[in-house]
Amino acid sequence: MQTRTPSAQRIRRLQTVSEAQLRALSDLLIDCVEGGASVSFMDPLPPARATAFWREVAEGVARGERALLIAEDDAGIVGTVQLVLAQPDNQPHRADLSKMLVLRRARCRGWGEALMQAAEQMARDCGKSLLVLDTASEGAERLYARLGWQRVGVIPGYALLPQGGLCATTFFYRELEPLQGACSATLVSCHPSEHADDPHHHRL
């Protein structure tokens, strides 16, 4: 079966999250947890619990504490990733990359790589020069290493897998080259604008 490489027009940043998007993101999270992803939740994940999580994320987005990307195909949302922008006062240059999720039906089509590259560009737009993440997935580890992320180390028995049993977690970081002429002290582009949900507005 022929697969498609996702286009830039299919990944966009959300400044607000609609009820329909909340439902789709909740379904995405449940799908990943059912598939064994260690992303802070146990299986089965009740829909109400998944929706509550995404409402908290949406509130953080509205406050400018998080930046949220979604990936879409003709059927709807197939992936997401977010940046935790709110950091301690002595770490304004850093963000955590969190909840990089792709529906099982949409995997092996380039969505993960496209989301990671879009997240890095979004981080630059927000004046960030250092990203940090952790993962319990060997497949994700290979992706991150291929994209230039540096592996720091492994903590054994860090978390439970969704169906039970301890798993190790691997930590990575990525240093970003600043944009030419960008002012690292300003986060203006991280706040809502008239182009916020325009997929053509944000460079990916």
Side-chain angles (χ1 to χ4, degrees), residues 60-130:
V61 168
R63 292 191 297 265
E65 298 169 354
R66 292 177 182 256
L68 178 64
L69 288 172
I70 59 170
E72 299 167 295
D73 66 8
D74 294 338
I77 294 177
V78 296
T80 184
V81 67
Q82 56 187 282
L83 296 178
V84 182
L85 303 171
Q87 299 294 334
D89 290 349
N90 66 340
Q91 300 168 46
H93 60 294
R94 186 175 72 79
D96 294 329
L97 190 145
S98 178
K99 296 294 184 292
M100 206 281 284
L101 307 171
V102 177
L103 278 175
R104 284 177 286 177
R105 71 165 178 81
R107 291 178 188 171
C108 300
R109 300 185 184 182
W111 287 112
E113 181 172 348
L115 280 165
M116 291 296 293
Q117 291 174 341
E120 289 182 16
Q121 183 59 63
M122 183 167 61
R124 292 186 183 95
D125 291 343
C126 291
K128 301 295 185 178
S129 59
L130 179 65

Side-chain angles (χ1 to χ4, degrees), residues 120-127 179 186-187 189-190 202-203:
E120 289 182 16
Q121 183 59 63
M122 183 167 61
R124 292 186 183 95
D125 291 343
C126 291
L179 291 172
T186 179
L187 301 184
S189 62
C190 292
H202 298 285
R203 297 187 303 276

Side-chain angles (χ1 to χ4, degrees), residues 13-59:
R13 182 177 175 187
L14 298 181
Q15 297 285 4
T16 59
V17 185
S18 70
E19 288 297 318
Q21 289 164 341
L22 280 174
R23 289 191 296 273
L25 287 166
S26 298
D27 290 343
L28 169 59
L29 179 58
I30 291 169
D31 178 79
C32 291
V33 171
E34 287 178 348
S38 179
V39 288
S40 304
F41 299 96
M42 301 300 289
D43 185 43
L45 174 58
R49 177 74 181 92
T51 301
F53 166 76
W54 285 110
R55 287 195 188 280
E56 291 177 5
V57 170
E59 291 169 2

